Amino acid sequence: TRAGTARVVLTDSTGRETETEGEFFSSPELLKKDLYDFSVEGGVARLDYGTESFGYADAPLVIGSLRYGISDVLNAEAHAEASQELVMGGGGLLYNAGNFGLFTASGAASLYDGGTGFLASASWEGNFGDFGLSASTTRTFGDFTDLAAITSVPKDGKRTGGVPRAVDQISFNYNFSELKAGVGLSFIHRLANDGERSLIVSGGYSQSLPHDISLYATAYADLGDEKDYGLTLSRSMPLGEQKVPPEQARI
């Protein structure tokens, strides 16, 4: 009926109708009560991806993540990364505030090469009919690092990666349901660990066409220290017909 409200109409065998309305908010990041998912990964880091073949580190590493539904509106999550040089772990909470959207807060700490660091992050997202809005902020303190940072490609003896000191983002999107199209606008402020500042403005447009064909256009401009810009155009389409398995067709 409107953003965050669903009307359910039940009709019994006599034709009598019963109507109920309820508020809802859905997100792929949410789990129902007592549900959980987890992942555990181990191996060695892939290095120089896209520039050299068979580039792998020697030291083993392991990554683990866990999410749990404390209730239908409150979820908890945890994440850990470890190698011979690094130990990093953190956790967070996700709260479904109904029509007020989804709130998240998380924190993490790391120990690497004798240095310690901390990370704090908070975000919010909400959907209001065809309009969506989200905002997030992240800050690091001390020498916080993670596996992505320590396995980045070296440049002049120094790591090119690293966890940024600050990242702030605001995004807007609107879906034109009748046209099967959508537009989006995003503002990102990023302060790298070497002091370089980025202020990125980006916009995008997507269009769905018959036969499962989709068109995408994205443009961005970095108004910070780099003064960079770019444009991407893409098309997605299936090759051949998608056949439904017989067991699904009978459902």
Side-chain angles (χ1 to χ4, degrees), residues 170-247:
I170 300 178
S171 299
F172 310 85
N173 63 78
Y174 189 84
N175 294 320
F176 299 93
S177 302
E178 296 181 357
L179 301 177
K180 295 184 178 180
V183 294
L185 183 64
S186 179
F187 302 90
I188 302 174
H189 164 257
R190 181 180 185 272
L191 179 61
N193 59 356
D194 60 1
E196 181 179 292
R197 189 179 302 273
S198 299
L199 181 59
I200 302 172
V201 181
S202 65
Y205 177 82
S206 62
Q207 177 68 61
S208 297
L209 301 176
H211 308 293
D212 295 327
I213 299 175
S214 298
L215 302 177
Y216 306 92
T218 304
Y220 77 90
D222 187 349
L223 307 178
D225 297 335
E226 286 293 324
K227 299 295 189 296
D228 197 7
Y229 59 90
L231 173 67
T232 301
L233 302 175
S234 61
R235 179 184 68 174
S236 173
M237 62 180 296
L239 299 178
E241 298 181 358
Q242 182 178 4
K243 296 182 179 181
V244 179
E247 60 272 13

Side-chain angles (χ1 to χ4, degrees), residues 39-56:
S39 66
V40 178
E41 306 160 48
V44 293
R46 179 73 161 89
L47 304 177
D48 301 314
Y49 183 77
T51 60
E52 294 185 12
S53 298
F54 308 106
Y56 294 92

Side-chain angles (χ1 to χ4, degrees), residues 117-187:
F118 303 91
L119 177 145
S121 180
S123 66
W124 169 84
E125 66 175 81
N127 295 315
F128 309 93
D130 290 326
F131 177 72
L133 175 65
S134 65
S136 65
T137 183
T138 301
R139 293 290 186 276
T140 60
F141 309 91
D143 297 324
F144 181 83
T145 190
D146 57 13
L147 287 177
I150 66 174
T151 57
S152 60
V153 179
K155 180 181 180 181
D156 299 329
K158 297 181 179 180
R159 298 290 179 181
T160 58
V163 181
R165 298 180 188 174
V167 178
D168 307 297
Q169 180 173 351
I170 300 178
S171 299
F172 310 85
N173 63 78
Y174 189 84
N175 294 320
F176 299 93
S177 302
E178 296 181 357
L179 301 177
K180 295 184 178 180
V183 294
L185 183 64
S186 179
F187 302 90

Side-chain angles (χ1 to χ4, degrees), residues 79-83 86-90 108-111 144-147:
H79 180 78
E81 302 176 358
S83 69
L86 170 73
V87 176
M88 190 277 285
S110 70
L111 175 62
F144 181 83
T145 190
D146 57 13
L147 287 177

